[in-house]
Amino acid sequence: MNAKPCSASLALKTTHVLPPDTNQYGTLFGGKLMAHLDDIAAIAAVKHANNPVVTASTDSVDFLAPVRVGQYISIEAFVTWTHHTSMEVFIRAITEDIRTGERTVCTTAFMTFVAIDENGKPIEVPPVYPKTEDEKMLHESAPLRANRRAERRKQSKQLAETFGTVYRTEK
């Protein structure tokens, strides 16, 4: 399987923030923004894998600045690291005030996707390699994030076992 550069998976999306997408404060619903992030990150992962993908995890979604009604939001995503069947995707969202042209990074996130075949079984993905300094920094720090993900997944499984399927009020 031939390795691909990070840039080969670059996916971009720009959308106008409209009143139905916002809360009572006139800012974009966090869940709406997360749906945009998942959508564009999945496209980046599909471009890299050349196969369907499923979301495996969201490391973090950091809301750094509000996204206001009437602004544009541009989201970019690309694969930063791969491991057998999984791909780490970095996502950055930038708001732009249409009157002033002022641009602000409003969100950064890391998500992991797994490539699947027609039966929904995980399949191998090509390696990825960085070219730019920013890509190199993300690529080199990815194993640490992968280890944190694995540890967090263990903790999530332990919580699932501890709390089970019975609601607290039923215990």
Side-chain angles (χ1 to χ4, degrees), residues 144-159:
L144 176 61
R145 287 188 298 279
N147 288 337
R148 288 180 184 158
R149 253 185 243 107
E151 184 58 35
R152 193 176 63 247
R153 185 170 172 80
K154 283 182 198 172
Q155 292 171 356
S156 291
K157 284 183 176 185
Q158 289 171 344
L159 283 172

Side-chain angles (χ1 to χ4, degrees), residues 78-98:
F78 58 91
V79 173
T80 57
W81 189 70
T82 61
H83 187 262
H84 302 299
T85 62
S86 64
M87 296 157 282
E88 179 190 79
V89 177
F90 173 69
I91 311 112
R92 175 178 64 159
I94 299 170
T95 61
E96 183 173 348
D97 186 302
I98 59 176

Side-chain angles (χ1 to χ4, degrees), residues 22-47:
T22 62
N23 58 28
Q24 68 270 27
Y25 306 109
T27 60
L28 185 64
F29 283 118
K32 184 74 173 177
L33 178 54
M34 290 174 69
H36 287 306
L37 300 177
D38 189 49
D39 180 45
I40 199 66
I43 291 169
V46 166
K47 287 175 73 171

